[in-house]
Amino acid sequence: MPTSSPRVLVVDDDCDVADFLTEALGLHGIQARPAYGGAEALQLVREFRPDALLLDLAMLNIDGFDVAAAVRATGHAPYLVALSSHGEAATRARTRAAGFNAHLAKPASIDTIVSTLRSRPLAA
């Protein structure tokens, strides 16, 4: 289990949510940056090179599933955490099939989010 804090890209098209989570993660010593939608997330993945993405699933234009697939296609393999109001079994199965490492249902506590991000396996 890694002891260092991951660099996290927080992706949510609700700017207030993305900003709040970014700030809250920062208060826990995690370097985080917000992205306000899928297109911005894909740009920031190239620049920021995050260890983890905290991804909303239901975004306009490019949803969290499409972001995950595009990021994986680049060969970059960050830890992918779905953070969604859709927490039912069918959506959880879909995130697993799409290669997400974890799925948290909104509203998740910041302690749960931090614990999930810090428990990621070491990169190969």
Side-chain angles (χ1 to χ4, degrees):
M1 188 179 305
T3 57
S4 64
S5 293
R7 293 164 44 98
V8 177
L9 186 62
V10 178
V11 185
D12 200 308
D13 59 354
D14 183 330
C15 299
D16 291 335
V17 171
D19 289 341
F20 170 79
L21 289 172
T22 298
E23 187 171 327
L25 291 173
L27 293 173
H28 282 81
I30 294 175
Q31 184 181 356
R33 289 184 62 182
Y36 307 119
E40 185 177 2
L42 294 175
Q43 177 184 346
L44 287 173
V45 163
R46 290 187 295 273
E47 296 170 13
F48 185 53
R49 301 295 290 173
D51 301 305
L53 272 75
L54 190 59
L55 274 167
D56 183 24
L57 297 178
M59 296 184 290
L60 297 175
N61 300 320
I62 303 174
D63 68 18
F65 292 103
D66 291 338
V67 171
V71 169
R72 294 283 196 217
T74 68
H76 183 56
Y79 192 68
L80 297 176
V81 179
L83 181 62
S84 176
S85 58
H86 302 282
E88 64 280 347
T91 302
R92 289 178 183 277
R94 187 173 172 209
T95 57
R96 274 191 304 279
F100 280 81
N101 303 97
H103 185 128
L104 301 175
K106 289 179 180 177
S109 74
I110 194 65
D111 290 336
T112 298
I113 294 169
V114 169
S115 176
T116 299
L117 291 169
R118 287 195 171 141
S119 69
R120 76 201 188 285
L122 290 170

